[in-house]
Amino acid sequence: MSAWPAVPLVAGEAWPAASPAKRLPFSELRGSSSSSSSLRSKIRRSSSQPSGGVSLSADAALRSKQQHQQQRRQRRQQQQLAGLLVGCSALARKRLGSAALARRRLQLSAAAGEQLSGEPRGLRSGSLRGSLFLFQIPLTLPTVFPASLAGLLPKHSVVLAELAAESGGGFAAFDFEPRQKDSLGSALRLLSGGSVPGRFGAREMRQLPSGAVRVGLLKEDASVEQVAGAIALNARFDSNLSLSSNDCNTYARSVLELLLNQPSSPTGQRLYSTLDADVMDEGSQLVYKEPSLIGAIVLVAGTTVGAGILALPAVTQKVGFLPSSGALFLCWLYMATTGLLIAEVALADMASSGKQATSLQSMASRTIGPIGAFVSSASFVIVHFGLLVAYISKGGELLAEVFGGASAAAPGPVLFAAVFGGLVFATKGSDTLELLNNAFAAVVLVSFFLLVSLALPLVEPSRLFDVADWSSTSDIVPTLLLSLVYHNVVPTICAKLEGDRGKISLAIVVGSFLPFLMFLIWNGVILAAVPPGGSADPLDALRASQGSGLLGLGVLAFSLSAIVTSFIGFVIALTDFFADVLGDGSSSSDTGSARNLNRVRDFALTLLPPLALACYDPSLFFQAIDKAGAFGVSMLFGFLPAWMALMQRASELPVLVRSPGFLGGYERAPLAPGGVAVLVVVGGGALALVAENALELLTGG
């Protein structure tokens, strides 16, 4: 049907016309001087003839030749640009931008469809020898549908295999398409999620279309009969076509697996491997240093458990335990999904650039373009500065309490930033910092269970059901989202775990789920231990009602350790961000000194602005934290990951990225399930939250 690929690829259907693919000499491409002067002399001689018709024919011939040469030049430029774009080189992405790449790729795909040529010849047999290619073009929908809809649908995939010389040469094209291509009803059923009868076929092509991607070498003794027989005899091949589970990409992937000469070595899960420098210093032996999955989980969990858990009971007591627990679970599910989306884009960025370190700014610049890079950078810095103000302010207050008050010469925020900021500066990049972070995380766990056990005698379960204001649940969502933030360390986790997709997914899901359980238990115990309806902070009310030194010590240890673990994660992420944006910026021969100066610069930019705000007005934390989740977190860690993942997936070939053997043994399929529907829900939910809170600000609600 006209709603399907403009290039029919099944026996019995006609191919559009195209020109043969041959390389022209430069003189012929530009127009040789000898042929041009000869033609001009003929025109001049013809102008002296009595009949003017000869002169007119010569003029027409000259114009025809010039037009033909111009078409050849344009076609050659298109083919060269197509190879550049399909290669997805970092240089092309930087110069053209991701949006321009996507638009140009669509234009070239359409142009390639027009260039396909040859009379149709049904291909039922033939030996295959040489290389294997993949060619994809957008679907062409009926005019009743908007043109932009084709960009959201899977592209039509064609597998091209070189035919052996004894089989006539050229290429064998394999694809899968609807039986009734011209049926509008088939298009409607497919777009509504249904399926239609499909057919798999092979066809001979004389030339390779521009934009085809070389996948690898063919297996020995590969043939057209082998592919047709495997498709016909294998019971798992479904003859019904659908856009979700059994489309042309499914068949293309199966044909590639059948024909591609796979490497003998097994595919790996990592992007790179880290060598143990300590062992290398002692001898010449190269030893692989296994990354710590436990350390990555602890880093995610420690970053999540911060100041948000201290404010959680004060926010949730007005809506009740059951509504807040349901909202907390949905917020965890949302934030775990966006964390996987960030990891998905970060892994693609690391694979394409070859760099270990990346940031949200780099990912947004590559996938969205300059606008996305600016928005992500501004949001990232604002959110991190705001939360660091919170941690320095609250941490300084708690640290001053530990030392019996702060002096005028060393206020609490200055003391906190100097002690723990200096600790991160001195140990960043070493195992010592990981050990310290793990130690503070252990204190969080021990003090948490100590605090819960001390509060259990005060618990009255009936209080959990006294309040259930479901209508006000949306009011606490910004604080819940802020409490579950760990996304700033996701790029660090990806580099720490060497790009291992399985370990990264496990670290994100488990590392964020543990704080969710802690929040759930914490919320229930505190709300059940304090009478409902009070206006004071439940934690302060609990400490005031008991006056117990042990309970007060438990609250202090838990609060300070939770803030320190979160502070460490945010400082690491923000210093990595400044290092990525500003670079090393040094051409000095003394690289060690230049590296130390850059570390000082990054830490100064990270700590001094929030420290100044915390010292100037500590109450700014309470005003900013309420809206940080509504605007900063929802946009930076909600809408932006969905947008980046959508652009990332649109720029890839799904037939290749979902099979490790097709891309050097590393799989780049989506980490978060659900396809485009999940991206729409994630991005739409973030925009809805921003709109609701913006309306409240405008109306004074």
Side-chain angles (χ1 to χ4, degrees):
M1 61 184 177
S2 60
W4 298 103
V7 185
L9 296 169
V10 176
E13 302 295 336
W15 286 93
S19 59
K22 72 173 183 176
R23 190 177 299 275
L24 299 176
F26 182 78
S27 60
E28 184 179 352
L29 187 65
R30 296 291 304 271
S32 63
S33 59
S34 60
S35 61
S36 299
S37 60
S38 176
L39 184 58
R40 293 193 193 99
S41 63
K42 291 181 181 179
I43 295 175
R44 286 196 296 269
R45 287 196 300 269
S46 64
S47 62
S48 61
Q49 300 287 337
S51 173
V54 177
S55 176
L56 180 62
S57 299
D59 290 339
L62 179 60
R63 287 194 300 269
S64 177
K65 180 174 181 178
Q66 291 174 344
Q67 292 176 357
H68 184 61
Q69 292 172 350
Q70 180 68 19
Q71 290 174 356
R72 285 180 174 177
R73 284 195 296 270
Q74 293 177 351
R75 184 161 55 250
R76 185 173 181 180
Q77 291 172 357
Q78 284 184 346
Q79 292 173 351
Q80 292 174 348
L81 186 56
L84 178 65
L85 296 182
V86 172
C88 297
S89 66
L91 181 60
R93 289 184 176 275
K94 290 180 180 178
R95 291 183 177 178
L96 299 180
S98 298
L101 277 172
R103 291 194 299 269
R104 188 58 182 157
R105 206 174 271 148
L106 290 176
Q107 295 171 2
L108 290 172
S109 298
E114 297 174 357
Q115 293 173 7
L116 293 175
S117 69
E119 293 297 327
R121 292 190 296 166
L123 188 62
R124 302 183 182 278
S125 63
S127 299
L128 303 176
R129 190 173 304 146
S131 297
L132 196 62
F133 300 85
L134 178 68
F135 179 53
Q136 291 194 315
I137 54 177
L139 299 176
T140 303
L141 299 176
T143 56
V144 296
F145 298 105
S148 59
L149 181 60
L152 301 177
L153 299 176
K155 294 181 180 179
H156 186 71
S157 298
V158 186
V159 176
L160 303 168
E162 285 190 88
L163 285 166
E166 58 267 23
S167 299
F171 298 87
F174 304 93
D175 87 321
F176 182 58
E177 68 176 2
R179 286 188 176 274
Q180 298 180 348
K181 294 178 22 177
D182 299 325
S183 172
L184 179 60
S186 296
L188 293 174
R189 283 196 296 272
L190 289 171
L191 292 175
S192 61
S195 61
V196 297
R199 58 181 177 181
F200 179 85
R203 170 174 301 280
E204 183 178 357
M205 293 178 56
R206 288 299 186 183
Q207 71 175 72
L208 186 70
S210 61
V213 179
R214 184 182 183 276
V215 180
L217 294 174
L218 285 160
K219 291 181 178 179
E220 294 184 3
D221 302 326
S223 64
V224 176
E225 301 94 318
Q226 178 186 4
V227 178
I231 297 291
L233 297 177
N234 199 325
R236 69 186 178 92
F237 288 106
D238 188 358
S239 60
N240 288 325
L241 184 145
S242 66
L243 293 180
S244 58
S245 60
N246 193 51
D247 61 354
C248 61
N249 292 319
T250 306
Y251 277 72
R253 192 177 301 114
S254 300
V255 174
L256 288 176
E257 292 173 353
L258 184 65
L259 295 179
L260 185 63
N261 186 15
Q262 301 283 358
S264 58
S265 59
T267 58
Q269 290 293 320
R270 300 189 302 270
L271 274 174
Y272 56 88
S273 298
T274 304
L275 299 178
D276 195 327
D278 296 333
V279 176
M280 292 175 62
D281 290 339
E282 297 175 359
S284 59
Q285 186 179 9
L286 299 180
V287 177
Y288 170 64
K289 185 177 182 180
E290 183 75 26
S292 174
L293 177 60
I294 300 298
I297 293 175
V298 171
L299 181 58
V300 173
T303 306
T304 307
V305 179
I309 192 173
L310 306 180
L312 198 62
V315 175
T316 59
Q317 66 176 345
K318 66 177 182 179
V319 298
F321 176 72
L322 292 180
S324 62
S325 298
L328 184 62
F329 173 76
L330 293 178
C331 287
W332 168 79
L333 191 62
Y334 181 90
M335 297 298 274
T337 302
T338 57
L340 292 175
L341 293 177
I342 293 177
E344 176 186 328
V345 181
L347 291 176
D349 191 62
M350 293 166 61
S352 62
S353 66
K355 298 194 306 180
Q356 295 184 25
T358 186
S359 66
L360 283 176
Q361 190 269 348
S362 297
M363 292 185 281
S365 177
R366 184 182 62 85
T367 55
I368 300 173
I371 295 179
F374 174 78
V375 172
S376 65
S377 299
S379 301
F380 188 89
V381 172
I382 291 173
V383 169
H384 279 65
F385 276 169
L387 292 178
L388 285 177
V389 169
Y391 297 146
I392 293 175
S393 176
K394 189 68 175 178
E397 176 186 337
L398 296 174
L399 198 60
E401 185 177 343
V402 170
F403 290 103
S407 64
V414 174
L415 188 63
F416 181 87
V419 172
F420 295 104
L423 190 65
V424 177
F425 176 82
T427 59
K428 183 185 177 184
S430 66
D431 294 336
T432 304
L433 181 59
E434 181 176 324
L435 293 175
L436 290 173
N437 189 60
N438 293 346
F440 280 111
V443 175
V444 171
L445 289 176
V446 172
S447 59
F448 171 78
F449 288 109
L450 175 64
L451 194 57
V452 169
S453 62
L454 292 175
L456 278 178
L458 306 175
V459 168
E460 295 184 15
S462 60
R463 292 174 177 172
L464 298 178
F465 308 99
D466 290 343
V467 180
D469 187 3
W470 293 92
S471 61
S472 301
T473 304
S474 61
D475 296 339
I476 68 173
V477 169
T479 303
L480 298 182
L481 293 178
L482 183 66
S483 302
L484 295 167
V485 166
Y486 61 90
H487 303 64
N488 51 333
V489 297
V490 169
T492 304
I493 293 297
C494 293
K496 182 182 180 66
L497 296 178
E498 303 174 338
D500 192 313
R501 292 167 51 87
K503 290 183 178 180
I504 291 170
S505 300
L506 190 62
I508 290 175
V509 174
V510 175
S512 61
F513 187 74
L514 292 177
F516 161 72
L517 291 180
M518 291 179 60
F519 292 173
L520 197 63
I521 297 173
W522 171 265
N523 193 41
V525 169
I526 299 301
L527 292 183
V530 178
S535 58
D537 185 347
L539 276 180
D540 294 338
L542 183 63
R543 295 176 61 184
S545 63
Q546 294 302 304
S548 170
L550 191 57
L551 182 60
L553 181 62
V555 172
L556 179 62
F558 175 74
S559 302
L560 185 59
S561 300
I563 288 178
V564 168
T565 55
S566 189
F567 174 81
I568 290 174
F570 273 74
V571 169
I572 291 175
L574 195 53
T575 52
D576 285 345
F577 169 81
F578 285 126
D580 179 73
V581 172
L582 302 176
D584 50 39
S586 176
S587 58
S588 173
S589 59
D590 189 358
T591 57
S593 300
R595 193 178 302 111
N596 291 332
L597 289 176
N598 291 329
R599 281 172 56 87
V600 172
R601 175 202 64 192
D602 297 337
F603 273 85
L605 292 174
T606 299
L607 294 175
L608 293 182
L611 176 60
L613 290 175
C615 293
Y616 176 73
D617 187 0
S619 65
L620 287 176
F621 160 70
F622 299 100
Q623 302 174 18
I625 200 171
D626 180 57
K627 299 303 178 184
F631 296 103
V633 172
S634 60
M635 288 298 295
L636 184 61
F637 301 132
F639 177 74
L640 190 64
W643 191 7
M644 291 192 301
L646 181 63
M647 300 300 294
Q648 172 66 36
R649 296 177 187 180
S651 66
E652 292 179 332
L653 300 177
V655 176
L656 299 181
V657 298
R658 295 170 189 248
S659 299
F662 298 159
L663 287 176
Y666 186 72
E667 183 180 358
R668 290 198 290 180
L671 287 179
V676 177
V678 170
L679 301 183
V680 172
V681 171
V682 170
L687 292 178
L689 184 61
V690 170
E692 179 184 0
N693 284 268
L695 184 62
E696 289 182 0
L697 287 178
L698 293 175
T699 58

